[in-house]
């Protein structure tokens, strides 16, 4: 029975970790790279802290380099409270979709009403200050997104397979956990029945022995 309990605990922990990874724990997932003209597109940019217990503040800057251009142009900034669209081409077309605190880890933005001129390279820069007990430490992290704008969406096969495999894994874990629970339940129930039978046999043995003792006393009299 102890083995069943340990197996169930391990399965539960593994399942919870898998679900948490799939549902929102900080993970540095690459951004999509294909946008459809006239629609909204999310430019993903995530930079996770290596030590969550360390306090930090961060600002984020987005730069853009159009196809055929050599240099990046500063288009957007966010300081944890206020956003600022710097380039007029993106006026009213960038919307913050990242972290809602000073400790920024997700710097994703929505690019609204995408045009073919939005094709190019987007660079997201985290300027982070880690606060330790006796000092502060500054770090800079850059993420690059190569964006292509198309007229009609063409979902890649790899993306479809990845999504299907994620759901298959979660369902498989649930079924595995269910099977283990049924197995352990039956094993515990069988152990309980065996213990009950043993207790009944012991009780009958004691009762029979008591009868024999009583009969012996009567014969002696």
């Amino acid at each position: 029975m102890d083995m069943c309990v340990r197996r169930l605990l391990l399965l539960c922990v593994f399942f919870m970790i898998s679900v948490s990874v799939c549902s929102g724990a900080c993970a540095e997932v690459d951004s999509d790279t294909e946008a459809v003209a006239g629609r909204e597109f999310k430019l993903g940019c995530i930079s996770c802290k290596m030590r969550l217990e360390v306090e930090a503040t961060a600002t984020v800057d987005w730069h853009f380099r159009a196809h055929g251009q050599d240099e990046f142009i500063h288009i957007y900034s966010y300081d944890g409270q206020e956003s600022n669209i710097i380039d007029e081409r993106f006026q009213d077309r960038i919307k913050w979709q990242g972290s809602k605190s000073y400790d920024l880890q997700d710097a994703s933005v929505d690019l609204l009403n995408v045009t073919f001129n939005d094709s190019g390279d987007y660079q997201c820069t985290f300027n982070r200050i880690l606060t330790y007990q006796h000092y502060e430490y500054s770090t800079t992290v850059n993420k690059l997104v190569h964006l292509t704008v198309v007229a009609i969406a063409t979902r890649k096969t790899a993306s479809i397979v990845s999504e299907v495999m994620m759901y298959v894994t979660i369902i498989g874990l649930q079924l595995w956990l269910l099977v283990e629970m049924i197995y352990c339940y039956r094993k515990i129930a069988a152990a309980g029945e065996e213990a009950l039978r043993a207790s009944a046999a012991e009780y009958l043995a004691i009762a029979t022995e008591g009868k024999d003792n009583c009969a012996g006393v009567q014969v002696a009299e």
Side-chain angles (χ1 to χ4, degrees), residues 142-175:
N142 293 313
K143 302 280 185 176
L144 192 63
V145 180
H146 303 282
L147 182 64
T148 301
V149 178
V150 297
I152 301 175
T154 56
R155 192 175 182 188
K156 295 181 179 179
T157 303
S159 173
I160 298 173
V161 172
S162 177
E163 186 173 342
V164 170
M165 288 303 297
M166 180 186 71
Y167 288 113
V168 168
T169 301
I170 293 175
I171 293 171
L173 285 171
Q174 290 176 331
L175 291 175

Side-chain angles (χ1 to χ4, degrees), residues 14-33:
F14 183 65
F15 177 72
M16 290 172 64
I17 290 173
S18 300
V19 171
S20 66
V21 168
C22 294
S23 63
C26 185
E28 297 191 8
V29 181
D30 292 336
S31 173
D32 289 334
T33 58

Side-chain angles (χ1 to χ4, degrees), residues 111-143:
L111 186 58
L112 310 177
N113 191 23
V114 174
T115 69
F116 288 102
N117 291 330
D118 294 331
S119 294
D121 298 328
Y122 291 81
Q123 182 174 273
C124 166
T125 303
F126 284 87
N127 302 296
R128 179 175 288 137
I129 299 177
L130 303 172
T131 304
Y132 295 92
Q133 185 174 359
H134 300 295
Y135 67 98
E136 293 182 341
Y137 181 74
S138 299
T139 64
T140 300
V141 178
N142 293 313
K143 302 280 185 176

